[in-house]
């Protein structure tokens, strides 16, 4: 949960579908919620086959044009990491609201 403007935003992967590639945001007037109004923020392009993404997280203390968000990438097949070391690392994006 992060303060954005005069409100609060909760960033997460879409939990309505298993291992979702979609990162969504919910908003609230209070840091304790309730958080409502699911808004699609980003679809992770890496998600397919053995590759999955998880752990979307806002970084309000990192400077950006909007809210800096990270997510992690991994594979169900351990040897994929040896074939392509770029799989297992975080990705960052800058999300603007409004």
């Amino acid at each position: 949960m992060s303060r954005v403007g005069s409100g609060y935003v909760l960033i997460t992967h879409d939990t309505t579908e298993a291992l979702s590639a979609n990162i969504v945001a919910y908003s609230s007037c209070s840091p304790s919620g309730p958080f409502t109004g699911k808004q699609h923020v980003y679809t992770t392009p890496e998600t397919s086959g053995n590759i999955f993404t998880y752990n979307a997280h806002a970084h309000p203390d990192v400077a950006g044009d909007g809210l800096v968000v990270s997510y992690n990438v991994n594979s169900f097949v351990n040897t994929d990491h040896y074939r392509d070391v770029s799989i297992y690392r975080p990705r960052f994006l800058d999300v603007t609201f409004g």
Side-chain angles (χ1 to χ4, degrees):
M1 183 272 311
S2 305
R3 187 170 184 88
V4 175
S6 61
Y8 298 86
V9 173
L10 174 68
I11 299 289
T12 185
H13 270 81
D14 189 347
T15 59
T16 63
E17 48 189 68
L19 297 172
S20 177
N22 296 311
I23 296 174
V24 295
Y26 295 90
S27 59
S28 176
C29 295
S30 164
S32 61
F35 287 88
T36 60
K38 180 168 79 172
Q39 177 183 355
H40 180 264
V41 172
Y42 186 73
T43 300
T44 58
E46 301 86 358
T47 303
S48 72
N50 295 328
I51 307 301
F52 63 96
T53 57
Y54 64 101
N55 197 34
H57 184 78
H59 301 274
D61 295 334
V62 177
D65 292 334
L67 183 61
V68 174
V69 173
S70 68
Y71 64 94
N72 295 311
V73 181
N74 207 336
S75 175
F76 291 111
V77 178
N78 187 47
T79 55
D80 285 350
H81 302 107
Y82 299 109
R83 181 183 47 78
D84 182 358
V85 297
S86 70
I87 292 172
Y88 190 63
R89 64 180 180 87
R91 310 300 202 272
F92 295 87
L93 51 129
D94 204 352
V95 177
T96 55
F97 299 93

